[in-house]
Amino acid sequence: MGTCGIAAGTTPVLKAIYQEIAERRLENAIEVSEVGCMGLCYAEPVVMFVERSTGRRVIYGEVTPQQVPAILAAGIDGVAPGTRTLERNWYYPEFEEPAPGELQARIVLRNTGRLNPEKIDEYIAAGGYRALAKALTTMTSQEVIDLISASGLRGRGGGGFPTGRKWQFAADQKSEEKFIICNADEGDPGAFMDRAVLEGDPHTVLEAMAIGGYAIGAHTGVIYIRAEYPLAVKRLDIAISQAKERGLLGKNIFGSGFDFNIEIKFGAGAFVCGEETALIHSIEGKRGEPTVKPPFPAVEGLWKKPSVVNNVETYACIGAIVRKGAEWFRSIGTAGSPGTKVFALAGKISKVGLAEVPMGTTLRQIIYEIGDGIKNGRKFKAVQTGGPSGGCITAANLDLPIDYEALKKIGSMMGSGGMIVMDEDDCMVNIAKFFLEFTLDESCGKCTPCRIGNRRMYEMLDEITSGRGTVETIEKLKMLSATIKDTALCGLGQTAPNPVLSTLANFEEEYLAHVRESRCPAGVCAKLIHFEISDKCVGCGLCLHHCPVNCITGERRARHVIDQSRCIKCGVCFQTCRFHAVEKH
């Protein structure tokens, strides 16, 4: 019952389950748990049938209300006829650390898709709030910071700054008031891991923020979340209320004398507010614009008080580290980037969803073993990591072990974890233009390099994709990209040229084809392609009837003709022709 599931139709399936249980009087035999996203987005609606005594399970995908009676009748010992079961159960691992033969681990997503996020008892039964109890009753604030530092946990929201070091900076400041802030302003196109955690396991974030507050000496936490996440907001509200009722937030938590409360602040969906100083300004009711650092927020942040800003995924690691120790966390991942990373697989990939893997896992393993390769048997072309701030990675680097430094070396970045896969039908010039258009719209406009420079870059890309560009345009694009990267004020502006630079580095021949030959090799850029009807045409009239501008003429059973002066190059004729008579050039 996460957003992806509800959008795919889980609500009528859930209704059918309750109805079937009531009709068969199975209330005492079957318990229904409404959970968050399981990560199996490609197969929604998903129903997992689990036997309490043995833990055995069957996972059904693409479930319809009509299939529910058969699923309940089959129980755990059989498989309901006419349904789709998900054969790759390792895609939904059981363990926090990688089990033998499995690619995935579950630290961040350890409870997501398993527990009802609106029932605090389920979270407590799974070990929830034990880490907070341990920190408050057996550890000093400095010991908590030392533990997080020793674990090597790095910020999962972008640059990978060491979390323990950030906490130490804030703890060292002499101030009666400090703040611990959760950045839930997930704005990258194709990224949805933070939303999944907040919808499926909100208590994990609340517990971690309380631990962070204790560590740095803060008594107030703020969750900054985009208003476009209504289900996550609803479940956070419920979780905060339940935690207060149990004394897990508020005054004198666990009798330790430590007070901590959390409030929610809404963002209006501005991508630039993912940058911590812009986020802080937005919380204060100001325009979401970044400021020059130093001072850093850990020294002077919200209301000019020391503040720690971490994202959802970073906080989701804290409880597990406090419970299981720094050495355990360091045993997963790589020496420089310990632990796991959640990736949101999207684009031209067969199995869209969430994958949590140890750092150091290769792109090939994620795309081909977890994501099951490219849709419709098409050829892999590139993958964009780090969202609009990242870069395109080609097949030459598919075996690259993923960590922060490795991605930087090839001109990309980890970012929040969005992973958009592209196939041979994607034009890389157009992809760069798409991401630049996004950052152009999302720029706060405060600094000249970002406000004006990105506009000029977009105009150059528009010239290239429309056939008006030259080789000189490409050279100017390279020069301007490097200048903006070096001179923009914040991370948004500094990384905005990354998609342009990475596609130029890896696919320059596509740029040259656009300007030298007035040709888009992928057949995507509308102004550089045209459609013709070949002698395969049987005169069925299908393309003629579907053409939105009536630019196709021809008699029945005779070859049709496209009027090139009126054609808007929408491709409808190409898509609808059953005889492959429409050719794209």
Side-chain angles (χ1 to χ4, degrees):
M1 295 300 289
T3 294
C4 57
I6 293 170
T10 55
T11 302
V13 172
L14 180 68
K15 183 180 178 181
I17 289 172
Y18 282 125
Q19 184 176 338
E20 185 69 12
I21 288 173
E23 289 179 358
R24 297 178 60 186
R25 298 180 180 178
L26 294 172
E27 292 89 347
N28 295 327
I30 296 178
E31 178 185 357
V32 180
S33 186
E34 301 174 27
V35 302
C37 177
M38 297 180 184
L40 305 164
C41 307
Y42 70 93
E44 294 283 7
V46 175
V47 174
M48 183 187 297
F49 204 103
V50 187
E51 187 176 51
R52 269 203 198 95
S53 58
T54 64
R56 287 188 304 150
R57 67 180 185 224
V58 179
I59 305 177
Y60 293 94
E62 299 173 359
V63 178
T64 65
Q66 294 73 26
Q67 293 172 339
V68 167
I71 289 173
L72 294 188
I76 200 67
D77 295 317
V79 173
T83 60
R84 176 190 176 189
T85 58
L86 306 187
E87 69 283 357
R88 291 188 171 181
N89 284 358
W90 52 262
Y91 193 87
Y92 189 73
E94 292 281 3
F95 309 104
E96 288 183 343
E97 51 277 318
E102 292 187 346
L103 283 176
Q104 292 203 64
R106 287 252 167 169
I107 297 176
V108 174
L109 303 177
R110 59 189 178 275
N111 296 321
T112 304
R114 289 196 174 90
L115 307 180
N116 188 324
E118 298 184 16
K119 293 184 178 179
I120 191 173
D121 288 340
E122 291 195 21
Y123 181 70
I124 292 171
Y129 289 105
R130 291 183 191 177
L132 179 59
K134 178 181 177 181
L136 295 184
T137 60
T138 68
M139 302 173 73
T140 66
S141 297
Q142 188 58 51
E143 285 173 339
V144 174
I145 294 174
D146 291 342
L147 174 65
I148 300 303
S149 297
S151 73
L153 175 65
R154 300 173 65 171
R156 297 300 198 245
F161 190 82
T163 304
R165 194 186 307 172
K166 183 182 285 191
W167 287 18
Q168 188 69 65
F169 287 156
D172 290 342
Q173 306 308 306
K174 306 300 180 186
S175 176
E176 292 183 2
E177 189 174 22
K178 299 179 182 179
F179 295 96
I180 197 97
I181 301 172
C182 175
N183 180 356
D185 189 59
E186 184 175 51
D188 285 5
F192 47 94
M193 64 288 294
D194 288 356
R195 173 175 58 77
V197 173
L198 294 172
E199 289 179 358
D201 190 21
H203 286 284
T204 288
V205 176
L206 304 187
E207 181 179 15
M209 290 179 69
I211 293 169
Y214 173 68
I216 71 167
H219 299 285
T220 302
V222 180
I223 299 176
Y224 182 83
I225 183 169
R226 52 183 43 226
E228 296 97 328
Y229 283 179
L231 183 59
V233 171
K234 173 194 169 190
R235 289 178 177 168
L236 278 170
D237 277 330
I238 292 171
I240 290 171
S241 298
Q242 291 176 340
K244 286 179 177 177
E245 289 171 5
R246 298 297 181 89
L248 299 168
L249 289 177
K251 299 278 188 184
N252 195 25
I253 302 172
F254 288 114
S256 64
F258 174 65
D259 305 337
F260 190 76
N261 282 295
I262 294 175
E263 58 187 77
I264 298 175
K265 293 289 185 181
F266 298 115
F271 181 65
V272 72
C273 287
E275 197 278 336
E276 55 187 5
T277 60
L279 180 152
I280 287 169
H281 291 152
S282 181
I283 294 174
E284 293 174 342
K286 303 171 185 173
R287 277 180 64 107
E289 293 180 336
T291 52
V292 177
K293 296 179 281 190
F296 291 91
V299 176
E300 185 180 299
L302 183 60
W303 309 118
K304 297 194 179 299
K305 303 296 183 181
S307 307
V308 161
V309 183
N310 290 125
N311 83 322
V312 171
E313 189 176 341
T314 308
Y315 283 122
C317 296
I318 298 295
I321 293 171
V322 173
R323 281 193 295 112
K324 305 190 76 167
E327 289 304 314
W328 164 79
F329 191 75
R330 278 200 169 274
S331 70
I332 302 167
T334 65
S337 301
T340 60
K341 182 74 188 78
V342 182
F343 291 99
L345 305 183
K348 305 288 186 67
I349 194 162
S350 297
K351 294 190 173 179
V352 172
L354 294 176
E356 183 174 359
V357 296
M359 291 283 196
T361 304
T362 66
L363 283 167
R364 186 182 301 277
Q365 289 173 308
I366 295 172
I367 293 170
Y368 285 95
E369 296 186 44
I370 296 175
D372 207 28
I374 312 303
K375 276 184 179 178
N376 304 319
R378 305 299 286 169
K379 186 179 178 182
F380 171 83
K381 188 170 189 177
V383 57
Q384 175 88 4
T385 63
S389 302
C392 290
I393 302 171
T394 66
N397 289 305
L398 274 177
D399 293 311
L400 181 79
I402 298 174
D403 63 19
Y404 291 97
E405 282 68 36
L407 289 177
K408 279 182 185 177
K409 284 180 182 177
I410 59 171
S412 188
M413 63 183 294
M414 187 78 70
S416 60
M419 190 173 282
I420 301 177
V421 178
M422 290 161 272
D423 68 11
E424 57 194 299
D425 296 326
D426 286 303
C427 169
M428 302 314 294
V429 187
N430 197 56
I431 290 291
K433 181 181 171 184
F434 165 78
F435 282 114
L436 193 61
E437 183 177 19
F438 177 84
T439 51
L440 184 63
D441 287 343
E442 296 294 341
S443 171
C444 72
K446 183 175 183 178
C447 74
T448 304
C450 187
R451 182 181 69 252
I452 298 177
N454 282 335
R455 170 68 62 184
R456 296 291 88 84
M457 277 206 300
Y458 179 81
E459 290 170 355
M460 291 179 193
L461 287 170
D462 190 53
E463 288 178 10
I464 294 170
T465 56
S466 61
R468 294 179 288 114
T470 64
V471 174
E472 289 71 27
T473 308
I474 296 175
E475 294 306 314
K476 288 180 182 178
L477 190 60
K478 290 178 182 178
M479 182 178 67
L480 184 56
S481 297
T483 302
I484 295 171
K485 198 172 180 66
D486 291 339
T487 57
L489 174 62
C490 79
L492 185 149
Q494 292 163 6
T495 58
N498 281 354
V500 178
L501 291 170
S502 65
T503 52
L504 274 168
N506 295 309
F507 299 97
E508 189 170 12
E509 71 281 358
E510 286 198 28
Y511 281 82
L512 293 173
H514 282 70
V515 299
R516 287 177 175 171
E517 306 170 31
S518 295
R519 179 177 65 88
C520 175
V524 170
C525 300
K527 292 185 179 179
L528 298 182
I529 61 174
H530 68 277
F531 296 93
E532 292 180 355
I533 298 177
S534 72
D535 55 11
K536 293 180 183 177
C537 177
V538 298
C540 68
L542 199 60
C543 62
L544 185 151
H545 292 302
H546 282 85
C547 177
V549 293
N550 299 317
C551 72
I552 302 176
T553 57
E555 298 296 325
R556 187 102 177 140
R557 302 184 184 280
R559 179 178 173 178
H560 289 13
V561 177
I562 298 174
D563 182 348
Q564 298 295 336
S565 65
R566 295 166 55 201
C567 177
I568 61 172
K569 303 174 183 180
C570 63
V572 169
C573 55
F574 182 79
Q575 296 163 8
T576 56
C577 182
R578 298 174 182 172
F579 301 96
H580 306 291
V582 180
E583 297 177 349
K584 181 165 65 173
H585 300 283

